Amino acid sequence: QVQLVESGGGLVQAGGSLRLSCAASGSIRRINAMGWGRQAPGNERELVATITSGGSTNYADSVKGRFTISRDNAKNTVYLQMNTLKPEDTAVYYCYADIQISTLATLSYWGQGTRVTVSS
C-alpha cells in the first residue's frame, strides 16, 4: 500500500506565502515524477507544478515565478513553496507521485488534499 499525506494548507492573506509538504510512504521501490495539482470549486483539477526524479521542473503559466516545487528523495517528500498568493489560488491542493511498486508496475497516486484559502 502507498499513501501520500499532504500538510501545510491554511488561510493566508493575498500577497502572503505558504509551504505545502507531501510525504509518500508504503511499498515504494522508486518514485519517478512528483507534482501538485489543485481544484477550485466548480473547476476541474489542474496541474500546477511537476518535478522529475532528477529535479527538472515544470509550472503552469498561472503560477510561474510565484511557486517553487522541490523534493527530498531521501524522505520521499515533495514541497510546494507558494509566494505572492492571490485569491484565485484558493483551492484544494493535491500532491501526486508516479511510484514504482514492483519490477513491472508503476502507478500514479494522489493525496487526500489540503485546502488553501487566500483572502483579499
Side-chain angles (χ1 to χ4, degrees):
Q1 311 299 332
V2 172
Q3 273 194 317
L4 299 179
V5 179
E6 300 106 332
S7 61
L11 173 64
V12 64
Q13 287 189 332
S17 299
L18 282 174
R19 188 189 194 214
L20 307 182
S21 300
C22 173
S25 62
S27 302
I28 298 170
R29 291 177 63 110
R30 173 185 168 86
I31 301 179
N32 297 322
M34 303 184 82
W36 291 91
R38 67 185 181 186
Q39 187 167 17
N43 291 353
E44 293 185 354
R45 188 175 300 186
E46 63 169 339
L47 204 57
V48 296
T50 61
I51 185 168
T52 68
S53 57
S56 297
T57 59
N58 268 298
Y59 298 93
D61 288 343
S62 57
V63 307
K64 277 181 183 176
R66 300 187 298 120
F67 291 10
T68 302
I69 189 170
S70 61
R71 63 191 284 173
D72 184 333
N73 291 331
K75 296 181 179 180
N76 290 338
T77 299
V78 63
Y79 306 96
L80 187 68
Q81 178 67 43
M82 305 185 295
N83 298 328
T84 318
L85 282 161
K86 304 175 181 180
E88 51 263 44
D89 294 318
T90 295
V92 177
Y93 284 72
Y94 300 88
C95 72
Y96 86 89
D98 291 332
I99 297 175
Q100 183 180 3
I101 59 171
S102 70
T103 303
L104 299 177
T106 298
L107 301 176
S108 293
Y109 294 86
W110 288 88
Q112 82 288 350
T114 185
R115 185 172 301 275
V116 172
T117 304
V118 184
S119 63
S120 56

